[in-house]
Amino acid sequence: MTAVPGRGPGEPGPHRRRDALTTVLRAAVAVLVLAALAWSSLEAARAGTLPQHVSFFTNQSNFAFALVLLAMAMLPPARHPRWWEHLRGAVAFYLAMTGIIYALLVAPLDELLRWDIGWTGIVLHRVAPVVAVLDWLLTPRRSRPRPVRLLVWQGYPVLFLALTWIRGAVTGWYPYDFLDPTASSWGQVLVTTAVVLVAFLTVALGIHLLQGRLVRRRPAPRDGGSAVRSSTEERTG
């Protein structure tokens, strides 16, 4: 075996070390998100509001994100199915919208400038959306995606919207005020929803186009590397 210059025999290369670090970070974030979800769910159960708690888009999208991170930490990229990147993109898109909607429509303005909102709120509304988008931007894409996935990604938000209004009509409870016609009017709710859907499509387009844009391509072996291999083959031959 020929040692690579500057690296001892058996010592992992920089790309392997980086991949190992990425795996550890993904697993750590997944555990953190799951801990925040478990803690907030326990508090909701004590308050008797667990059914409402699990109905929030924030909690559902964060749970999906944690599962995706765990899967990526446990399975090497070669074992991911062909549709895996599209699932990852969908989850990154949902987390991005979680952070945007929280900042623009849910949180009071003064709350955005504070950090005393509880550790679960910080993890689920701020840390997870940022990490999801960064992970998407920093992971190289394995294939050229088709724009049709933009429409597929809208399936879950549209279903969430429809079920929210159906449940709200029956129970009178809505997870977000901007979706509650009793808090304003159906006209106002529909206008706000239309704006949100346009934002969803816009953000989805950005997620689609920016996949892996912050990662540097791994350089191809230079001629010198080929010469080393040839020399080694000659010696072993």
Side-chain angles (χ1 to χ4, degrees):
M1 180 178 68
T2 304
V4 177
R7 189 196 314 165
E11 182 181 347
H15 296 309
R16 186 168 297 180
R17 289 196 298 267
R18 186 187 66 185
D19 292 343
L21 177 60
T22 300
T23 297
V24 171
L25 291 176
R26 283 172 174 159
V29 172
V31 171
L32 180 63
V33 171
L34 289 175
L37 289 171
W39 186 267
S40 59
S41 297
L42 181 61
E43 291 182 331
R46 290 173 176 172
T49 59
L50 185 58
Q52 292 88 340
H53 178 74
V54 299
S55 299
F56 284 99
F57 187 91
T58 296
N59 296 328
Q60 295 175 9
S61 60
N62 269 277
F63 183 66
F65 178 50
L67 294 182
V68 166
L69 286 181
L70 286 178
M72 295 184 69
M74 292 186 294
L75 294 177
R79 296 185 59 185
H80 294 163
R82 298 181 63 181
W83 46 262
W84 182 252
E85 283 196 350
H86 306 313
L87 176 63
R88 282 190 57 237
V91 172
F93 161 53
Y94 302 148
L95 264 293
M97 290 308 305
T98 293
I100 292 172
I101 291 178
Y102 164 76
L104 298 181
L105 295 176
V106 176
L109 182 59
D110 63 326
E111 183 176 303
L112 298 178
L113 305 177
R114 304 198 325 261
W115 291 92
D116 57 341
I117 62 173
W119 73 274
T120 58
I122 293 175
V123 170
L124 300 178
H125 291 106
R126 300 181 183 180
V127 174
V130 171
V131 172
V133 173
L134 285 178
D135 185 63
W136 179 251
L137 297 178
L138 290 169
T139 303
R141 68 183 185 186
R142 301 173 60 192
S143 60
R144 190 174 185 87
R146 294 185 299 173
V148 68
R149 69 179 181 177
L150 296 175
L151 299 179
V152 177
W153 290 351
Q154 308 306 316
Y156 165 57
V158 171
L159 180 62
F160 176 88
L161 183 64
L163 292 178
T164 294
W165 282 338
I166 293 173
R167 183 184 57 241
V170 175
T171 65
W173 180 83
Y174 298 83
Y176 303 103
D177 287 342
F178 66 90
L179 296 178
D180 184 359
T182 65
S184 54
S185 66
W186 270 111
Q188 181 63 43
V189 167
L190 292 176
V191 169
T192 304
T193 301
V195 173
V196 170
L197 289 178
V198 171
F200 265 63
L201 287 170
T202 303
V203 173
L205 178 61
I207 293 292
H208 168 73
L209 295 175
L210 296 177
Q211 179 182 359
R213 293 299 184 182
L214 294 185
V215 68
R216 291 187 300 177
R217 295 183 180 273
R218 295 185 179 182
R222 298 181 179 179
D223 293 339
S226 301
V228 170
R229 287 194 298 272
S230 300
S231 175
T232 302
E233 292 172 356
E234 290 175 1
R235 290 197 301 269
T236 58

